[in-house]
Amino acid sequence: MLVDGKSCANCGVFHCDHLDKEWPDFCVTTHTEDADFEAANDIYANDPETQKIFRAAAEIEGLYYGALTRVEEVALFAKKIGAKKVGLATCMGLRKETQTFAKMLKAKGIESVSAVVCKVGAVDKCKIGIPDNVKVRPGEHESTCNPIMQAKILNDEGTDLNVIVGLCCGHDTLFIKHSDAPVTYLVVKDRVLMHNPAAALYGSSMYYRRVMSPEFPPCRPVE
């Protein structure tokens, strides 16, 4: 339960991490019913799939903290949850990286990897209601990203874990929504910052002060 609209975004204490300070008056922990925490703990303890995923994540954090790259963590996570087939939902712009990652997974003993690129189906954006004037290149065929089909194809493949490799913001949301298998990220797309979106937060008081502006930068002219 939130108090006065405040949440963890307003906290500078984070007593919840080590219990070495004091709870702020609006703390989400102290204003949430014990029964809610007990219900969550019950799922961790008694739902087999949740327990498998949660335990694997905890073991990787605890035993390899600061030692593994994200690509290694994802591969190890797949092995720890017993994934027999891993699906890769990839951006067309990251197809080479995806091919390298698929080779790495096989080198780590995960033989069955299915990758589906975002432009699968080659459906023009106009056919699904996107105006021509908001294409990247108006007047040309421009295949839409197709996250629902990416998910459906990987669902049909019977993947045990799906990995997002740089899908567009929003397209990733649709992929997660329609994926039958659990989903994790390898790459979060940020075309400007070479897929390191946190850099804009680190630079929010300097080079990327615009992120704190109420206005977004102007888009290109739309005819």
Side-chain angles (χ1 to χ4, degrees), residues 70-71 74-75 77-79 81-91 94 97-99 101-103 105-106 110-118 147 149-167 175-176 179-187:
R70 178 70 182 198
V71 294
V74 172
F77 176 70
K79 290 183 73 71
I81 66 171
K84 303 299 182 185
K85 180 177 286 189
V86 174
L88 306 180
T90 181
C91 167
L94 286 160
E97 291 86 345
T98 297
Q99 290 169 345
F101 182 59
K103 291 177 182 177
L105 288 176
K106 291 184 177 182
I110 300 171
E111 291 296 330
S112 187
V113 179
S114 300
V116 184
V117 75
C118 62
M149 278 309 304
Q150 287 178 289
K152 286 185 176 296
I153 291 169
L154 293 178
N155 291 345
D156 290 343
E157 285 292 305
T159 53
D160 302 301
L161 174 70
N162 288 331
V163 180
I164 292 176
V165 188
L167 296 187
F175 178 80
I176 294 168
S179 172
D180 288 344
V183 179
T184 191
Y185 266 95
L186 180 68
V187 178

Side-chain angles (χ1 to χ4, degrees), residues 34-47:
D34 288 343
D36 292 334
F37 287 112
E38 291 170 4
N41 292 342
D42 184 66
I43 296 172
Y44 290 131
N46 297 306
D47 179 72

Side-chain angles (χ1 to χ4, degrees), residues 24-210:
D25 293 340
F26 59 85
C27 183
V28 174
T29 294
T30 57
H31 288 88
T32 298
E33 296 292 336
D34 288 343
D36 292 334
F37 287 112
E38 291 170 4
N41 292 342
D42 184 66
I43 296 172
Y44 290 131
N46 297 306
D47 179 72
E49 182 179 35
T50 299
Q51 187 178 65
K52 177 176 65 177
I53 292 172
F54 190 67
R55 182 178 294 275
E59 288 178 356
I60 292 171
E61 179 189 21
L63 300 177
Y64 297 92
Y65 194 88
L68 297 182
T69 62
R70 178 70 182 198
V71 294
E72 293 169 310
E73 284 189 338
V74 172
L76 183 58
F77 176 70
K79 290 183 73 71
K80 280 186 172 290
I81 66 171
K84 303 299 182 185
K85 180 177 286 189
V86 174
L88 306 180
T90 181
C91 167
M92 176 69 78
L94 286 160
R95 58 192 182 277
K96 291 183 179 179
E97 291 86 345
T98 297
Q99 290 169 345
T100 300
F101 182 59
K103 291 177 182 177
M104 195 208 81
L105 288 176
K106 291 184 177 182
K108 298 293 187 186
I110 300 171
E111 291 296 330
S112 187
V113 179
S114 300
V116 184
V117 75
C118 62
K119 303 298 185 180
V120 62
V123 179
D124 188 86
K125 291 180 177 180
C126 292
K127 288 188 176 181
I128 57 169
I130 304 300
D132 183 76
N133 64 355
V134 298
K135 289 180 177 179
V136 179
R137 298 176 183 83
E140 300 180 14
H141 172 90
E142 192 166 287
S143 296
T144 183
C145 293
N146 205 339
I148 294 177
M149 278 309 304
Q150 287 178 289
K152 286 185 176 296
I153 291 169
L154 293 178
N155 291 345
D156 290 343
E157 285 292 305
T159 53
D160 302 301
L161 174 70
N162 288 331
V163 180
I164 292 176
V165 188
L167 296 187
C168 296
C169 179
H171 295 153
D172 52 3
T173 305
L174 287 173
F175 178 80
I176 294 168
K177 178 179 176 65
H178 291 275
S179 172
D180 288 344
V183 179
T184 191
Y185 266 95
L186 180 68
V187 178
V188 178
K189 174 174 284 179
D190 188 322
R191 298 178 182 91
V192 173
L193 296 174
M194 298 182 70
H195 313 305
N196 178 23
L201 304 178
Y202 300 143
S204 62
S205 62
M206 296 174 63
Y207 303 112
Y208 285 93
R209 283 180 291 181
R210 74 183 194 210

